[in-house]
Amino acid sequence: MADKEATVYIVDLGSSMGDCHNGRTESDLDWSMRYVWDKITTTVAASRKTWTVGVLGVRTDETDNPLQEKGEGYEHISVLQELGPMNLTSLRNLQALIKPSDTETGDSISAIVIAVDMIERYTKKLKYKRKIILVTDGEAPIDPDDIDEISAQIKDCGIELVVLGVDFDDAEFGFKEEDKSTRKRTNEGLLKKLVDKCDGLYGTMAEAISELETPRIKPFRPYKTYEGELTLGNPQEHKDAMSISVERYFKTHKATVPPASRVVLSTEPGHSQAAEGDAMEGVEHTGQFAAVKNARTYKVNDPEAPGGKRDVEFESLAKGFEYGRTAVHISESEYNITKIETTKSFTILGFIHQEKYEPFFNMGEACQTVPQKFNEAAALKLSSFIHSLQELGSYAVARIVTKDGKDPALILLAPHIEPDFECLYDVPLPFAEDVRNYQFPPLDKVITVTGNVKYEDHRLLPSKELSEAMDDYVDAMDISTWAKDEEGNRTQEYAAVEDVFCPPLHRINQVVRHRAIYPDQPLPPVAPILLKYSNPPEDLVIKAKTKLEDLIEEARVKKVPPKAKGRREKGHKPEPISGLDVDALLSQPQNKRKKIDPGNVIPSFKQIVEYADEEHEIEDAAKQMGAIIRSLITDSLGDSGYDRAIENIGVLRDTMEKMEIPALYNSFLRDLKKRLLSGELGGDRRELWWQMRGAKATLGLIDKSVFEHADVTPEEAAEVCATSKY
């Protein structure tokens, strides 16, 4: 059963709450309501009917509460929101009622008595988390009589009392208000006494508001991913096989960002399609939005139908699996047969030494396996198995099927032992198809052209001095004990997991809560705690600065000029690091290249374009590149030359885009398509065009979305790539 909560907020609306104190620019009421609105909007966002909210106003101009007929002491206390589920509409209605009154009297302790009565009547004897939160500035008279009886009633009802005072003194938080009135000082003592008697919480509002920016982790109920037997061997065939009754739960599970529903602003105030029974599923109806429903249609080509397409029903669709450029049909009955039949099981396949396990084999979220509840025999068996793995320094490899018909998975079981808790942690393992094996050159040695192996004294290998400088810098940037403890010593871990929050998740929650309360105000800035770990600690960077400078000096790090975009003007080329005047050398007639070298196509093409004086020289280079590309395709045996041709096409496109001459490339591509599809380039070369269509983002026409002065629209570029006609 879901947790049930009943919370009553008591808000002081007296005239003194409309004033500003202690250098604040907003009234005490608006400042205090930051905390109240944050708590209420969190409840509204949860959208759980068992989380109920009630709101009482104390020091209101009117009197409206269920105990007002019992005599004096309950005047100027009003029920602003009856205890019950809260939604956005009731939140809007409540906002209109929260404003300072013209009244200076109203007993906060009497309001607590009314809140207790509201909770008792609503929750009866059912299991609820009961809470009363009082927000006041303590400037109104309070009757100290019957405090003992009231505190006893609060404890008997299992209610948690929280008192937050505006500018209340709090030695632990380090706040003390100067020039405090005698009445406020007395009331603080009375409220503190009441809270102590019923074991509640007492604090200053400044501390509560300062903690609002700290994200609150949503509590999750344990979810069983598996419940059954963990086996080693087959218990049905072998009596000595191991079988343990276990339960498996998530240990890590990715928290998802709240999704957004599609809505549209209603064109007619006060009217919505939702009123006609078409309400958006899971979205509360408001007059500001009209319902949006998705509709999907399926069409097939039919020359005889209007428009050349005909609608088909969803029921008539069949499964077709891609097979090359075609689809292979498998009927629904055959598809069920092709699925591997599996039964629920959790079986250990073998064991592996811990040092032989590679960390990159971890494929995803971790789970934990514990013995079945209230099963002492299972707990004893699993504990023995866990301790055996720990003593032998081994992991277990297991196959798990969480439900009948589910795909099997391989997992690695690792022992975990604490003084009061033992379990098996597991992570999914990859199958052969999941592993990507790439070959990279080694970092600790260099193999020369002649086959010699060098481990030192090479420009691609770090010297001893460079390695030592890097070691010193890494040690200087160590954050494992950089956080300060209570005594100010750096002994705590910096960026512990429990302190690192997901920025996108909590930023969206922050913005949604703010917009729900203040729909017309600009969005608030990002909370500093969400950006805390975006960069290293500033004091640590300062401390390691000298080590970094030593590392830069040893590594001979030099600033590389930024890569220029677009056509460069003469006289604005960056100066080479070597100091040589490369432009002067290459501009000499005897050194200036005019023809592209077929054996070194791309570098020679780029050199001609880079040092061209006139635009016709660039055009000539583009024509030469086009001729080379067509030659590669024509001379290609099968698809052997396609990769080089595609690489050259990509270089030609990038160069023409940077030189701001898209027309040269676009005309080349149109001509190439015509030649490919007509068979002019050595026969049927349509396969190459299919490959180029798959990379249209890097090989397609240069349109206006890429270069605003291009003469091709994105639609025209897409049509050229999509069609197989010339």
Side-chain angles (χ1 to χ4, degrees):
M1 179 181 290
D3 293 335
K4 296 181 178 179
E5 297 184 6
T7 304
V8 176
Y9 295 89
I10 304 174
V11 182
D12 190 342
L13 299 178
S15 58
S16 60
M17 289 289 285
D19 300 332
C20 303
H21 295 92
N22 287 300
R24 294 187 292 269
T25 58
E26 57 185 334
S27 67
D28 292 347
L29 179 60
D30 292 339
W31 183 63
S32 302
M33 287 305 295
R34 286 194 204 175
Y35 173 83
V36 178
W37 291 136
D38 183 85
K39 295 297 183 183
I40 292 179
T41 52
T42 301
T43 302
V44 173
S47 188
R48 296 174 63 171
K49 294 183 178 180
T50 55
W51 288 8
T52 57
V53 173
V55 181
L56 275 174
V58 62
R59 290 205 289 169
T60 58
D61 293 328
E62 300 82 13
T63 300
D64 182 13
N65 63 78
L67 301 183
Q68 64 187 46
E69 304 296 336
K70 290 190 175 182
E72 297 182 359
Y74 299 103
E75 298 86 358
H76 300 292
I77 301 174
S78 300
V79 178
L80 306 180
Q81 165 79 32
E82 288 289 352
L83 190 58
M86 195 87 171
N87 55 33
L88 187 58
T89 302
S90 54
L91 178 65
R92 293 274 190 266
N93 296 334
L94 179 62
Q95 280 185 285
L97 302 176
I98 301 296
K99 53 187 178 182
S101 68
D102 297 326
T103 304
E104 297 182 359
T105 59
D107 194 337
S108 297
I109 293 183
S110 298
I112 293 176
V113 175
I114 297 174
V116 172
D117 178 72
M118 291 173 63
I119 293 176
E120 282 187 321
R121 285 188 290 106
Y122 186 86
T123 62
K124 299 180 175 61
K125 298 297 182 180
L126 300 177
K127 186 178 180 180
Y128 270 84
K129 292 181 180 179
R130 301 168 174 87
K131 181 183 287 189
I132 297 174
I133 299 177
L134 170 63
V135 176
T136 180
D137 63 357
E139 294 289 358
I142 293 179
D143 185 0
D145 297 338
D146 303 327
I147 282 186
D148 293 335
E149 291 81 358
I150 294 172
S151 61
Q153 184 183 10
I154 292 174
K155 293 185 68 174
D156 292 342
C157 294
I159 298 175
E160 179 186 6
L161 177 62
V162 178
V163 175
L164 296 174
V166 178
D167 298 330
F168 278 19
D169 295 342
D170 191 330
E172 294 184 2
F173 182 67
F175 180 83
K176 181 177 178 62
E177 184 184 25
E178 303 296 337
D179 302 326
K180 189 187 299 289
S181 65
T182 304
R183 172 179 290 175
K184 184 172 183 178
R185 184 175 290 105
T186 302
N187 289 341
E188 286 185 27
L190 292 174
L191 293 173
K192 182 70 166 60
K193 179 180 178 182
L194 174 63
V195 169
D196 292 340
K197 284 181 175 292
C198 56
D199 301 327
L201 296 176
Y202 175 91
T204 184
M205 181 58 71
E207 181 179 9
I209 291 178
S210 67
E211 294 177 352
L212 292 182
E213 291 186 346
T214 302
R216 293 180 291 277
I217 305 299
K218 178 182 177 182
F220 293 97
R221 284 182 167 274
Y223 175 78
K224 293 180 185 178
T225 62
Y226 175 84
E227 182 177 15
E229 299 298 313
L230 171 63
T231 61
L232 177 59
N234 190 342
Q236 297 178 355
E237 297 180 1
H238 305 284
K239 295 182 180 180
D240 56 350
M242 182 186 76
S243 179
I244 307 174
S245 299
V246 297
E247 298 174 352
R248 182 170 176 259
Y249 298 89
F250 280 120
K251 180 62 178 178
T252 61
H253 192 64
K254 183 174 177 59
T256 57
V257 175
S261 300
R262 293 186 179 275
V263 296
V264 64
L265 291 176
S266 180
T267 55
E268 299 181 16
H271 177 73
S272 172
Q273 296 175 11
E276 301 173 5
D278 293 333
M280 293 170 288
E281 183 178 354
V283 179
E284 177 191 347
H285 162 56
T286 65
Q288 300 178 0
F289 301 112
V292 175
K293 283 194 171 184
N294 294 328
R296 178 176 293 180
T297 59
Y298 300 89
K299 298 178 181 292
V300 295
N301 294 327
D302 187 353
E304 299 179 358
K309 295 185 181 295
R310 173 172 53 87
D311 292 343
V312 294
E313 298 295 332
F314 174 78
E315 291 75 13
S316 63
L317 301 181
K319 291 185 179 294
F321 291 85
E322 184 177 348
Y323 187 71
R325 296 294 178 186
T326 61
V328 176
H329 167 250
I330 297 180
S331 65
E332 193 67 30
S333 59
E334 292 174 325
Y335 178 74
N336 293 333
I337 296 175
T338 58
K339 292 184 64 176
I340 299 176
E341 294 185 4
T342 57
T343 56
K344 180 179 176 181
S345 62
F346 192 1
T347 305
I348 295 174
L349 304 180
F351 304 91
I352 182 176
H353 287 291
Q354 293 181 3
E355 63 271 11
K356 293 185 177 180
Y357 176 72
E358 299 290 351
F360 59 79
F361 283 145
N362 182 3
M363 284 286 289
E365 299 169 339
C367 292
Q368 56 187 1
T369 300
V370 296
Q372 188 182 54
K373 294 179 182 177
F374 313 114
N375 190 333
E376 295 182 358
L380 180 60
K381 292 179 183 179
L382 187 62
S383 177
S384 301
F385 182 66
I386 292 172
H387 280 269
S388 297
L389 291 176
Q390 184 75 10
E391 292 172 4
L392 296 175
S394 299
Y395 297 139
V397 178
R399 176 184 184 270
I400 186 171
V401 179
T402 56
K403 291 181 181 179
D404 291 345
K406 290 282 188 179
D407 293 333
L410 289 178
I411 60 175
L412 185 85
L413 299 173
H416 179 76
I417 300 175
E418 294 181 7
D420 299 323
F421 178 70
E422 296 176 354
C423 73
L424 289 170
Y425 286 135
D426 69 74
V427 291
L429 294 175
F431 292 104
E433 297 79 7
D434 302 323
V435 179
R436 302 290 187 266
N437 291 316
Y438 302 113
Q439 294 296 325
F440 297 100
L443 299 177
D444 60 341
K445 60 184 178 180
V446 173
I447 302 176
T448 64
V449 178
T450 59
N452 296 328
V453 180
K454 290 194 173 184
Y455 294 92
E456 58 184 9
D457 298 331
H458 192 276
R459 64 184 182 85
L460 298 180
L461 294 175
S463 62
K464 181 180 179 181
E465 293 76 12
L466 177 58
S467 297
E468 292 176 352
M470 180 62 75
D471 290 341
D472 294 341
Y473 178 64
V474 171
D475 292 339
M477 289 295 292
D478 183 14
I479 61 172
S480 58
T481 57
W482 187 252
K484 295 181 180 180
D485 56 20
E486 296 179 354
E487 299 179 356
N489 299 321
R490 297 191 183 278
T491 59
Q492 302 295 318
E493 179 185 3
Y494 181 82
V497 174
E498 58 270 16
D499 297 331
V500 182
F501 304 100
C502 175
L505 173 65
H506 294 290
R507 173 58 176 168
I508 288 180
N509 288 336
Q510 175 197 20
V511 168
V512 171
R513 288 198 303 269
H514 180 87
R515 184 49 57 86
I517 307 169
Y518 312 107
D520 300 325
Q521 292 187 10
L523 298 178
V526 180
I529 194 171
L530 298 181
L531 303 176
K532 179 178 179 181
Y533 301 106
S534 299
N535 297 294
E538 292 185 6
D539 48 357
L540 181 62
V541 173
I542 295 174
K543 170 179 172 289
K545 184 177 180 180
T546 56
K547 302 296 183 182
L548 177 60
E549 292 173 347
D550 294 341
L551 176 61
I552 292 174
E553 182 179 355
E554 288 293 338
R556 300 184 182 90
V557 177
K558 297 179 181 179
K559 186 176 181 179
V560 178
K563 187 176 181 180
K565 296 183 179 180
R567 196 184 314 187
R568 285 201 297 260
E569 298 291 338
K570 288 291 181 180
H572 289 79
K573 296 182 180 180
E575 182 181 350
I577 297 175
S578 62
L580 294 175
D581 191 350
V582 179
D583 289 343
L585 294 175
L586 294 177
S587 297
Q588 296 177 10
Q590 65 272 21
N591 294 331
K592 199 168 184 180
R593 186 186 295 275
K594 296 182 179 180
K595 296 292 184 182
I596 297 178
D597 182 4
N600 194 26
V601 177
I602 294 177
S604 57
F605 168 72
K606 289 184 175 180
Q607 184 178 345
I608 293 175
V609 174
E610 179 75 15
Y611 296 101
D613 295 322
E614 302 293 339
E615 189 167 312
H616 69 83
E617 295 178 345
I618 300 176
E619 294 178 5
D620 182 64
K623 291 179 181 179
Q624 292 184 52
M625 176 64 92
I628 291 174
I629 292 171
R630 290 190 291 270
S631 176
L632 287 171
I633 299 172
T634 303
D635 299 338
S636 173
L637 182 61
D639 61 355
S640 60
Y642 289 178
D643 290 342
R644 289 182 60 194
I646 289 176
E647 182 182 11
N648 291 346
I649 294 171
V651 171
L652 177 61
R653 185 185 191 276
D654 292 342
T655 305
M656 294 302 101
E657 178 186 337
K658 293 176 182 176
M659 301 305 294
E660 301 178 0
I661 315 177
L664 287 179
Y665 176 77
N666 292 342
S667 61
F668 158 77
L669 187 64
R670 286 192 174 100
D671 177 71
L672 180 65
K673 176 185 176 183
K674 180 179 179 180
R675 293 172 183 265
L676 286 174
L677 300 181
S678 64
E680 293 183 24
L681 302 179
D684 187 0
R685 300 294 184 181
R686 287 179 293 178
E687 181 65 25
L688 175 58
W689 179 249
W690 283 101
Q691 293 184 26
M692 294 175 61
R693 283 180 59 183
K696 63 181 180 180
T698 55
L699 300 179
L701 295 178
I702 303 175
D703 55 43
K704 292 183 180 294
S705 64
V706 179
F707 179 64
E708 60 179 346
H709 297 300
D711 57 353
V712 178
T713 64
E715 293 76 15
E716 292 173 345
E719 184 179 357
V720 169
C721 288
T723 60
S724 299
K725 300 179 181 180
Y726 58 90

